Amino acid sequence: MPLTAAQIAAALVDRVGSDAVVTDAGKMGAYLNEPRKRFHQGAAAVVTPPSVEAVQSVMGWANENRVGIIPQGGNTGLVGAQVPLLGNEVILSLHKLDRIRSVDTAAGVMTAEAGVILENAHRAAEAAGAMFPLWLASQGSARIGGVLSSNAGGVNVLAYGNARELTMGVEAVLADGRLYNGLNALKKDNTGYDLKDLLVGAEGTLGIITAASLKLYPLPEDYETALVNVASPEAALDLFQLMRQRVGSRLNAFELIPHIGLDIQLRHGMLDADPTASASPWYALIDLTRMAGTEPGSLQAALEAAFDEELIADATIAEALAERTRMWAFREQMSECQSREGASIKHDVSVPIAAVPALIAEGTAAAEKIAPGIRPVPFGHMGDGNIHFNFSMPVGADPKAFMAQYDEAMHAAIYEVVLRHGGSVSAEHGIGQLKVDLLKQVKDPVALEMMRAIKTALDPHGILNPGKMLG
Amino acid sequence: MPLTAAQIAAALVDRVGSDAVVTDAGKMGAYLNEPRKRFHQGAAAVVTPPSVEAVQSVMGWANENRVGIIPQGGNTGLVGAQVPLLGNEVILSLHKLDRIRSVDTAAGVMTAEAGVILENAHRAAEAAGAMFPLWLASQGSARIGGVLSSNAGGVNVLAYGNARELTMGVEAVLADGRLYNGLNALKKDNTGYDLKDLLVGAEGTLGIITAASLKLYPLPEDYETALVNVASPEAALDLFQLMRQRVGSRLNAFELIPHIGLDIQLRHGMLDADPTASASPWYALIDLTRMAGTEPGSLQAALEAAFDEELIADATIAEALAERTRMWAFREQMSECQSREGASIKHDVSVPIAAVPALIAEGTAAAEKIAPGIRPVPFGHMGDGNIHFNFSMPVGADPKAFMAQYDEAMHAAIYEVVLRHGGSVSAEHGIGQLKVDLLKQVKDPVALEMMRAIKTALDPHGILNPGKMLG
């Protein structure tokens, strides 16, 4: 017979002390309510282990007693991986493991515990004269363990990679409490299977990441940033290729934003000034790294070349930090600004870069057919082929009725286009509980079988984040 | 009762036809003899499937009949992963799967089958105006499947990563003949466990890679290359940090070479001219990418800064292609030149970059204590913390006696230093059969348990490259 919530709480108090167990419904709210308020299950308890040993102790007990454990970081995930699915699980919050164990700029590595807030990791790196180049909208609350478990991306993937590429090694507690010590500061290590990359992005279903060694980079001297008018996603793609040819790996970000985003932000007073040169159907936000040994001007020269090739018609290059900040705010407020316009239907998708224009054209056509008056707001990481393909409801529509009527049909239509172009139905945000059924439909069946076999091998009783990702 | 070699050969002919089965001892030699001639087992047969379906058919049969299968590419591996351990296995050569399925520079991806020779992959990329940046000494015979299965590195890992980072997706035949289709051209895809990175570097023990989607990069306009005199590995490390600060990700290669390497190569007429500026105990070979939008001169400016800081005393910047080629030949002949000087004891190790000077100092001291007169030749990828820590026998020593007397003791001494600095006993070359016992001694025991669990989950009868990596 499964343990009751009271029995679970009592056993956890026995293991880690009452300071590390939360059962009060009010206090549990912070752990249960996720950003988009889509998932509404309770939990048997929340446990907040103060040490890696305490995590091990909890897992040893949970494994013996078949109690589901949900690892949680900053609770910023968008697919429900970090909140309960069944209601009888225990949330294991890593927030007390918030120590930066070491920063070694000479070796180019920082070892941070799972509970370190991403922004604090940035600060620790900068204090040592280095950079940890992973920036997310949620960096003020997202924690390293969750960032890695979801293989988070962000705006500088183009130059530095996802969380996976920025991680050298991890330490993790396995389902039965064993501790895997894979921390290292090595750029090359061919001694066995790539367990690090298996744990990164596994959404806590294979082990609980307790610490990670993260890559540090030299701080750039400066950036060169521009907001460029482009006539279409095709023109943006050509401009992207030109930039890659001319500046290679210095290209830090290449983000696409539709005019409607500017419109909404100006209307709602979200920008203190218009950051663009002139009106344009699309804008590309381009950001280059400039190291100490390079003169400024590469971006200007590249944009002049693009003018000469008639790829672009107008552009603003940020002259001062305030301008650069405004350009980035324009990009970063794209998600938030949509909420000011009522309901929106969202897709976090990727395709091969060359297929981005087709994705946007075909997805827009399909959406407008389904829901006349719907407002497409596709934006995001064009340089990674990763578009947040969002749609705001028609002006004046009723949010609830809009979602009820169109949510499902829109998903089906957009994913059809994505899959036809060899794309991914979850580029950044993961599977969690939101996309479990979708994954079963679209993933290579042999890949699913391999994933299940690995899951069973590492978590035979299925207690790690039960039901997530694989169902 | 296990099948006899004759039964195995007959069954294979049944499956894939006699054109795809080799049993003649003479003809099998090419598959059995590996580069360093350290492993001397026979095989039941060699099978050379002409299609992915034929690989599946062979594996389905092998799994049912418990016949060990050794996937083989260009047979260039240095740790015996691609040749038999027991003598009753079948070598499955992928060399007939040598088609480049597609090259798409707009999407930045090339799909190549496992049997494509690395140099042919380079050519296909270049013909399309792009670059596949993985260069190895063995690129004229190494094949993509082996390059990926061993997670090969090479001289440009600093800027582009190992084979793992250069691979977007793989297609692989599993132990029981199922086909995993993980080919894609996506920079971001968070739909499940990272199976690609599990198969890359698994040395054919989890599946047989039959094709891969590989990242393409824009061709640089040019390179800037210099050979710089550095007084010590410490000075080289400081110079490396200065370069990273000034040119960031444009730093393509940073290789360390000891004076003895120049000495040997000049003595044996391996260089048509001395590529160095003047005599120095150590040299750093520095290579920068220059894209079309950047003026030349970054390397010169950086070296001037290094002079000003008294980090370096002399340097030659390559003015013409011939000079650059000679500098690179000097580096690339480092392995070969040692064989002109009799026996040598080799270690392919890595440490955190900051520990490279200590590794070289402590390793050299330990070696000279064990074998007076021994000649240390540590060289390699300083920027990756990856040193080929080799030792040539004392002048005039007897090669066989030298190896018999010192091989084991030297390994123990060098690995002790490596492990003390948190390093890896196999940075590039892998485990194969050469380092199975070593791996058991030095690897985190929980990591080994996880690896075994994954192996059993994906290859329950242990027929994929039996005995390799995990023993």
Side-chain angles (χ1 to χ4, degrees):
Chain A
M1 217 172 61
L3 298 179
T4 65
Q7 288 171 320
I8 287 173
L12 289 171
V13 169
D14 260 8
R15 291 259 147 187
V16 292
S18 56
D19 284 358
V21 181
V22 181
T23 52
D24 175 81
K27 287 185 185 152
M28 277 170 67
Y31 302 92
L32 291 169
N33 300 320
E34 41 69 49
R36 290 191 185 159
K37 303 194 177 28
R38 298 177 76 125
F39 310 101
H40 306 280
Q41 270 295 4
V46 174
V47 62
T48 60
S51 67
V52 173
E53 293 71 26
V55 177
Q56 292 186 261
S57 167
V58 169
M59 292 311 300
W61 166 84
N63 195 47
E64 269 172 34
N65 292 280
R66 313 290 190 259
V67 174
I69 300 286
I70 302 169
Q72 186 179 96
N75 193 11
T76 61
L78 298 174
V79 291
Q82 77 280 17
V83 291
L85 175 68
L86 310 168
N88 60 359
E89 306 96 321
V90 170
I91 292 178
L92 189 157
S93 169
L94 280 303
H95 76 267
K96 288 181 182 164
L97 300 182
D98 65 349
R99 211 158 50 87
I100 291 184
R101 293 189 192 163
S102 64
V103 182
D104 184 344
T105 53
V109 65
M110 164 169 68
T111 302
E113 292 185 341
V116 170
I117 290 174
L118 179 51
E119 213 161 72
N120 292 341
H122 292 159
R123 287 203 192 103
E126 274 165 38
M131 169 171 80
F132 176 58
L134 198 161
W135 290 282
L136 305 173
S138 59
Q139 64 198 27
S141 40
R143 295 174 189 269
I144 291 297
V147 166
L148 267 56
S149 293
S150 62
N151 186 29
V155 291
N156 285 166
V157 172
L158 202 51
Y160 302 100
N162 287 306
R164 175 167 287 134
E165 283 85 37
L166 289 168
T167 304
M168 284 172 150
V170 299
E171 170 191 277
V173 175
L174 302 189
D176 60 5
R178 278 174 299 164
L179 186 68
Y180 160 65
N181 184 357
L183 293 176
N184 72 55
L186 301 174
K187 301 224 171 168
K188 286 186 180 174
D189 178 20
N190 277 343
T191 59
Y193 303 154
D194 185 2
L195 301 173
K196 180 265 283 184
D197 286 325
L198 196 59
L199 290 163
V200 171
E203 301 184 352
T205 63
L206 298 178
I208 300 178
I209 293 174
T210 49
S213 38
L214 306 170
K215 289 185 194 169
L216 297 180
Y217 286 79
L219 272 170
E221 170 97 345
D222 201 356
Y223 296 90
E224 300 182 31
T225 308
L227 204 51
V228 183
N229 294 7
V230 283
S232 64
E234 285 81 359
L237 181 65
D238 289 343
L239 180 60
F240 171 72
Q241 308 288 10
L242 177 143
M243 293 303 308
R244 287 270 289 174
Q245 289 286 347
R246 291 187 60 100
V247 302
S249 57
R250 289 180 58 200
L251 187 60
N252 211 17
F254 190 103
E255 302 280 315
L256 184 69
I257 316 174
H259 183 74
I260 187 176
L262 182 68
D263 217 40
I264 297 176
Q265 292 193 37
L266 289 174
R267 190 160 61 232
H268 291 281
M270 295 172 75
L271 291 165
D272 57 356
D274 182 344
T276 69
S278 55
S280 170
W282 298 88
Y283 303 98
L285 176 62
I286 302 179
D287 201 60
L288 258 64
T289 299
R290 188 169 71 73
M291 303 308 288
T294 313
E295 293 302 306
S298 300
L299 181 53
Q300 170 125 19
L303 292 179
E304 280 164 13
F307 274 110
D308 292 347
E309 293 186 25
E310 294 179 13
L311 283 183
I312 62 174
D314 207 352
T316 311
I317 297 179
E319 298 290 337
L321 182 60
E323 274 181 279
R324 177 172 192 258
T325 305
R326 191 181 299 120
M327 288 176 184
W328 271 108
F330 171 37
R331 164 61 187 88
E332 278 161 2
Q333 290 168 176
M334 280 304 298
S335 202
E336 195 198 330
C337 78
Q338 283 185 261
S339 63
R340 311 276 182 108
E341 295 277 312
S344 64
I345 299 175
K346 303 188 173 192
H347 308 88
D348 162 44
V349 298
S350 72
V351 290
I353 295 173
V356 168
L359 166 71
I360 292 177
E362 293 167 25
T364 298
E368 286 170 345
K369 213 161 166 185
I370 293 169
I374 201 167
R375 293 174 291 166
V377 192
F379 71 95
H381 320 297
M382 171 127 194
D384 305 316
N386 175 197
I387 297 296
H388 298 299
F389 207 163
N390 297 352
F391 296 88
S392 283
M393 65 183 200
V395 176
D398 174 71
K400 274 197 181 155
F402 167 74
M403 293 303 278
Q405 190 171 355
Y406 296 119
D407 197 36
E408 218 167 295
M410 288 287 294
H411 289 333
I414 297 303
Y415 292 143
E416 186 279 325
V417 178
V418 167
L419 294 167
R420 192 153 36 74
H421 288 284
S424 168
V425 298
S426 190
E428 286 198 318
H429 301 161
I431 302 302
Q433 44 185 300
L434 183 67
K435 294 185 177 176
V436 167
D437 291 336
L438 180 63
L439 188 72
K440 283 183 197 156
Q441 291 162 34
V442 306
K443 190 86 177 173
D444 176 51
V446 175
L448 285 172
E449 289 165 20
M450 292 171 75
M451 286 166 61
R452 283 192 204 104
I454 292 166
K455 168 72 175 174
T456 304
L458 295 183
D459 178 19
H461 303 309
I463 62 155
L464 272 170
N465 219 355
K468 308 295 170 57
M469 192 179 275
L470 291 169
Chain B
M1 217 172 63
L3 298 179
T4 65
Q7 288 171 320
I8 287 172
L12 289 171
V13 169
D14 260 7
R15 291 259 146 186
V16 292
S18 57
D19 284 357
V21 181
V22 181
T23 52
D24 175 81
K27 288 185 183 154
M28 277 169 68
Y31 302 92
L32 292 168
N33 300 321
E34 42 69 51
R36 291 193 184 157
K37 304 196 176 26
R38 298 178 75 124
F39 309 102
H40 306 281
Q41 270 296 3
V46 174
V47 61
T48 61
S51 67
V52 173
E53 294 70 26
V55 177
Q56 292 187 260
S57 168
V58 169
M59 291 313 299
W61 166 84
N63 194 47
E64 270 173 33
N65 292 281
R66 313 289 191 263
V67 174
I69 300 287
I70 302 170
Q72 186 178 97
N75 194 9
T76 61
L78 298 174
V79 291
Q82 77 281 15
V83 291
L85 175 67
L86 309 167
N88 61 358
E89 306 96 321
V90 171
I91 293 179
L92 189 155
S93 169
L94 281 302
H95 75 268
K96 287 182 182 165
L97 299 182
D98 65 349
R99 211 158 50 87
I100 291 185
R101 294 190 191 162
S102 64
V103 182
D104 184 343
T105 53
V109 65
M110 165 168 69
T111 303
E113 292 185 341
V116 170
I117 290 174
L118 179 52
E119 213 161 71
N120 292 341
H122 292 159
R123 287 203 192 105
E126 275 165 36
M131 168 172 81
F132 177 58
L134 198 160
W135 289 281
L136 304 173
S138 59
Q139 64 198 27
S141 40
R143 295 174 189 268
I144 291 297
V147 166
L148 268 56
S149 293
S150 62
N151 185 29
V155 290
N156 284 166
V157 172
L158 202 51
Y160 301 100
N162 287 307
R164 175 167 286 135
E165 283 86 37
L166 289 167
T167 304
M168 282 171 151
V170 298
E171 172 192 276
V173 174
L174 302 190
D176 59 6
R178 278 174 299 164
L179 186 68
Y180 161 65
N181 183 357
L183 293 176
N184 72 55
L186 301 174
K187 301 225 170 167
K188 286 186 179 173
D189 178 20
N190 277 343
T191 59
Y193 302 155
D194 185 1
L195 301 173
K196 179 265 285 183
D197 286 324
L198 196 58
L199 290 162
V200 170
E203 300 183 354
T205 62
L206 299 178
I208 299 178
I209 293 173
T210 50
S213 38
L214 305 171
K215 289 186 193 169
L216 296 180
Y217 285 79
L219 272 170
E221 170 97 345
D222 202 355
Y223 296 90
E224 302 182 30
T225 309
L227 204 51
V228 183
N229 294 7
V230 283
S232 63
E234 284 82 359
L237 181 64
D238 290 343
L239 179 61
F240 171 73
Q241 307 288 12
L242 177 143
M243 293 303 308
R244 288 271 288 173
Q245 289 286 348
R246 292 187 59 101
V247 301
S249 56
R250 289 180 58 201
L251 187 60
N252 211 18
F254 191 104
E255 303 280 315
L256 184 69
I257 316 173
H259 183 75
I260 186 175
L262 181 68
D263 216 40
I264 295 176
Q265 293 193 37
L266 289 174
R267 188 161 61 231
H268 291 281
M270 296 172 76
L271 292 165
D272 58 352
D274 182 344
T276 69
S278 55
S280 170
W282 298 88
Y283 303 99
L285 175 62
I286 302 180
D287 200 60
L288 258 64
T289 298
R290 187 169 71 74
M291 302 308 290
T294 314
E295 294 302 307
S298 299
L299 180 55
Q300 170 127 17
L303 293 179
E304 281 165 13
F307 274 109
D308 292 348
E309 292 186 25
E310 294 180 12
L311 282 183
I312 63 174
D314 208 352
T316 311
I317 297 179
E319 299 290 337
L321 182 60
E323 273 181 279
R324 178 173 191 259
T325 306
R326 189 181 300 121
M327 288 176 184
W328 271 107
F330 171 37
R331 163 62 187 87
E332 278 162 2
Q333 290 168 177
M334 280 305 298
S335 202
E336 195 198 331
C337 78
Q338 282 186 261
S339 62
R340 312 277 181 105
E341 296 277 313
S344 64
I345 300 175
K346 303 187 173 193
H347 309 88
D348 161 44
V349 298
S350 72
V351 290
I353 295 173
V356 168
L359 166 70
I360 292 177
E362 293 168 24
T364 298
E368 286 171 343
K369 213 161 167 184
I370 294 169
I374 201 167
R375 293 174 292 166
V377 192
F379 70 95
H381 319 298
M382 172 127 195
D384 305 317
N386 175 197
I387 297 296
H388 298 298
F389 208 162
N390 298 353
F391 295 87
S392 283
M393 64 182 201
V395 176
D398 174 72
K400 275 200 181 155
F402 168 75
M403 292 304 277
Q405 190 172 354
Y406 296 120
D407 198 37
E408 218 167 294
M410 288 286 294
H411 289 334
I414 297 303
Y415 293 145
E416 186 278 325
V417 178
V418 167
L419 294 168
R420 192 153 38 74
H421 288 284
S424 168
V425 299
S426 190
E428 287 198 317
H429 300 161
I431 302 302
Q433 45 185 301
L434 183 66
K435 294 186 177 175
V436 168
D437 290 336
L438 180 62
L439 189 71
K440 283 183 196 156
Q441 291 162 33
V442 306
K443 190 85 177 175
D444 175 52
V446 175
L448 285 172
E449 289 165 20
M450 292 170 76
M451 287 166 60
R452 283 191 204 105
I454 292 166
K455 168 72 175 174
T456 303
L458 296 182
D459 178 18
H461 303 309
I463 62 155
L464 272 169
N465 219 355
K468 307 296 170 58
M469 193 179 273
L470 291 169

